Amino acid sequence: MPNHPPQNLTVATTGASGSLFLKHFLLAVERDSRVHTVNFIASDSALRVMAEELGLRGRSNLVGQILGRKSSRKIQQQANADIAANIASGSYPADAMVVIPCSMGTLARIANGIASQLIERAADVCLKEKRPLVLCVRETPLNKIHIRNMYRAADAGATVYPLIPAFYFRPASLDAVVREFAYRVLAHIGLPQPDAYRWKG
Ligand SMILES: Cc1cc2nc3c(=O)[nH]c(=O)nc-3n(C[C@H](O)[C@H](O)[C@H](O)COP(=O)(O)O)c2cc1C
């Protein structure tokens, strides 16, 4: 973990259900002045799932479509096929990476070092450079292959952070459920959010 809040984030999204979690995560990092740069990658399957869950149309201005804005100040999209992108190298100063949501396919490739596309390569770089890597996995029920791969990823240094939201703060809406989850992930990588719910005991 860097000794400053992460300024340079890599955010990847893959073809698991839960695109709304990505949307709230990106809205929060877009707002957060501590974050200067976000490199964002979507797998092809993520585009398919986002079309279902967020009603996205086509690939143009993808980040703007997810955020519901014209464009983003700091979120730069990278092509998943571009294994020569900045974040493919350990020399690039990425502070942390979050995969949200993380499919079982992407989990399997990361856990087994299969780095043929940019998402898996950037994750591989995080693990080799001992940088925080958070995998917001989603599938249910889990088979033994999924469970083994979660163990392998955790054993290699990743945080397995399943898309399992909390309810004890009595959320008033689906957006509140999802936003608090995104805030918990941000706090985990050193970016606590001022309006996050805090348990007072
Ligand atoms: C609507 C929809 C929902 C899906 N939900 C999940 C899911 O929750 N978890 C999962 O592991 N795969 C899910 N899949 C399957 C993945 O998209 C598929 O395995 C894909 O190959 C993953 O590719 P990627 O890891 O490159 O994104 C879903 C597919 C669709 C079309």
Side-chain angles (χ1 to χ4, degrees):
M1 188 81 85
N3 53 11
H4 55 79
Q7 301 170 347
N8 189 325
L9 286 184
T10 303
V11 180
T13 191
T14 66
S17 184
S19 312
L20 202 55
F21 289 94
L22 168 75
K23 176 178 176 166
H24 282 279
F25 190 86
L26 287 183
L27 283 169
V29 294
E30 175 74 357
R31 243 183 350 250
D32 194 322
S33 59
R34 293 167 296 182
V35 179
H36 299 170
T37 306
V38 180
N39 286 290
F40 171 67
I41 326 143
S43 71
D44 287 346
S45 310
L47 295 174
R48 181 68 188 82
V49 175
M50 286 191 285
E52 295 298 323
E53 298 188 346
L54 299 178
L56 298 194
R57 293 179 186 284
R59 292 167 185 244
S60 71
N61 185 25
L62 181 62
V63 174
Q65 287 196 65
I66 296 168
L67 296 177
R69 310 226 171 111
K70 277 202 178 130
S71 62
S72 160
R73 270 187 312 119
K74 56 184 156 189
I75 305 173
Q76 305 295 324
Q77 194 181 344
Q78 307 283 0
N80 199 22
D82 184 8
I83 46 83
N86 52 11
I87 51 175
S89 170
S91 62
Y92 179 77
D95 291 320
M97 176 171 178
V98 176
V99 186
I100 180 168
C102 181
S103 72
M104 292 301 110
T106 295
L107 168 71
R109 291 189 293 276
I110 293 172
N112 292 282
I114 301 166
S116 41
Q117 300 248 75
L118 185 58
I119 293 174
E120 294 89 32
R121 170 61 186 167
D124 202 68
V125 167
C126 276
L127 293 177
K128 82 184 176 76
E129 300 293 340
K130 312 281 185 226
R131 295 173 187 161
L133 170 65
V134 180
L135 305 176
C136 297
V137 295
R138 207 228 75 104
E139 189 48 278
T140 196
L142 297 164
N143 66 34
K144 280 195 183 178
I145 298 169
H146 303 149
I147 293 167
R148 264 188 224 114
N149 284 334
M150 282 191 245
Y151 179 83
R152 290 176 80 93
D155 197 43
T159 299
V160 177
Y161 208 122
L163 282 187
I164 302 176
F167 296 94
Y168 52 81
F169 62 97
R170 299 196 183 188
S173 65
L174 178 59
D175 276 344
V177 172
V178 173
R179 191 170 50 241
E180 285 301 331
F181 182 88
Y183 284 180
R184 289 289 288 269
V185 176
L186 283 161
H188 184 79
I189 58 170
L191 291 166
Q193 299 296 299
D195 54 332
Y197 171 83
R198 282 189 182 80
W199 172 255
K200 293 184 188 70

